[in-house]
Amino acid sequence: MPTHTTHSDLPMVVLVSGEGTNLQAILDNSANGSLPVTVAAVISDRSQARALARAHAADVAAETCLPAEYPDRQQYDAALIRLIDRHSPGLVVLAGFMRILSDHFVRHYRGRLLNIHPSLLPKYRGLHTHRHVLAGGEREHGCSVHFVTETLDGGPLIAQTKVIVRPDDTEVVLRARVQRQEHRLYPEVIGWFARGRVQLDGEHVVFDGRRLQAPVMLPAQEQPA
Ligand code: GAR
């Protein structure tokens, strides 16, 4: 596993599939000095991902690893690992990377692989979380950052932010409200990791030297519309 001797410039790779608004939040926080990381590369499984343009605009290497070019998941994931490891990252961040990763991939990056998910896990794993939250009549919703393990959307939770669900919410409105909080939560947690404040210990998250019994709740910054 690559090591970093200072906490000032943790090299990281970001995996993306789509818009890249979370990537943008990470890039912005890195550029303004509030996040002690260097985004070494952004890698997408989709050549049209807008996230790649965001990487270009920030002078960050923007690369693709396209599933159609590999016969199966194992070989795709092996190629992805090779691509990522060229950058010797101390942290790999999934930011809207919409592929299921093989156990081999997840084990390779164990303890240095983070994901953000648009729900208050363990509720609403998988896709279309905002739709399911509305259909379920929930009063609150939110986002979670967790270490990735072999269980899909089930790795140890680090932190969450809650938002209110309003009676007249649509999926689009609710997604936007959750994403505003994602853009704050993810850089915050990445900063904790980069400064050595959070680690994975077996199946448990250690935060400031103590094993977490529940995820850290980061209050929503604004009371969203
Ligand atoms: C984010 O809302 C993220 O939570 C979600 O995809 C979106 C990506 O948006 N991730 C998942 O659903 C993973 N299961 P972005 O490309 O604008 O950052």
Side-chain angles (χ1 to χ4, degrees):
M1 181 188 294
T3 56
H4 55 105
T5 48
T6 75
H7 289 146
S8 58
D9 62 342
L10 178 71
M12 61 182 258
V13 169
V14 184
L15 303 187
V16 295
S17 297
E19 272 298 305
T21 62
N22 278 286
L23 168 68
Q24 191 68 58
I26 294 164
L27 291 170
D28 291 348
N29 278 276
S30 169
N32 73 19
S34 52
L35 197 49
V37 300
T38 299
V39 181
V42 172
I43 304 175
S44 176
D45 62 330
R46 295 181 193 164
S47 51
Q48 300 306 315
R50 166 136 161 68
L52 291 172
R54 295 180 189 270
H56 269 302
D59 270 336
V60 170
E63 301 168 3
T64 53
C65 190
L66 304 177
E69 294 175 2
Y70 299 90
D72 56 35
R73 183 181 305 283
Q74 260 54 41
Q75 294 194 47
Y76 176 84
D77 282 8
L80 188 56
I81 287 173
R82 285 195 296 276
L83 208 54
I84 294 169
D85 284 354
R86 275 203 239 145
H87 302 282
S88 303
L91 176 64
V92 177
V93 163
L94 308 179
F97 188 65
M98 303 308 278
R99 279 183 63 83
I100 293 173
L101 294 161
S102 61
D103 288 356
H104 171 67
F105 183 99
V106 169
R107 280 197 287 265
H108 185 78
Y109 295 109
R110 190 176 176 87
R112 53 187 175 123
L113 182 59
L114 298 181
N115 183 43
I116 190 158
H117 183 78
S119 78
L120 296 173
L121 290 170
K123 287 181 137 188
Y124 301 102
R125 296 175 179 184
L127 297 173
H128 308 301
T129 58
H130 312 295
R131 188 182 309 169
H132 294 308
V133 161
L134 289 174
E138 300 280 359
R139 298 259 179 96
E140 62 178 21
H141 183 28
C143 46
S144 307
V145 176
H146 63 94
F147 282 106
V148 178
T149 59
E150 288 89 335
T151 315
L152 183 65
D153 296 333
L157 289 165
I158 303 170
Q160 298 181 317
T161 297
K162 290 182 179 174
V163 303
I164 291 168
V165 180
R166 300 184 188 278
D168 57 349
D169 274 344
T170 62
E171 209 178 321
V172 171
V173 168
L174 190 54
R175 176 186 297 114
R177 185 178 307 133
V178 170
Q179 284 200 338
R180 281 197 292 278
Q181 302 309 321
E182 291 186 6
H183 300 159
R184 185 159 159 268
L185 181 67
Y186 217 2
E188 183 75 24
V189 174
I190 290 167
W192 295 344
F193 185 93
R195 294 181 175 95
R197 293 184 64 189
V198 69
Q199 299 99 26
L200 184 64
D201 177 16
E203 292 299 315
H204 301 278
V205 175
V206 173
F207 182 63
D208 285 346
R210 295 190 181 185
R211 193 178 267 194
L212 282 184
Q213 303 301 324
V216 177
M217 297 306 302
L218 199 74
Q221 194 168 34
E222 28 151 29
Q223 205 46 265

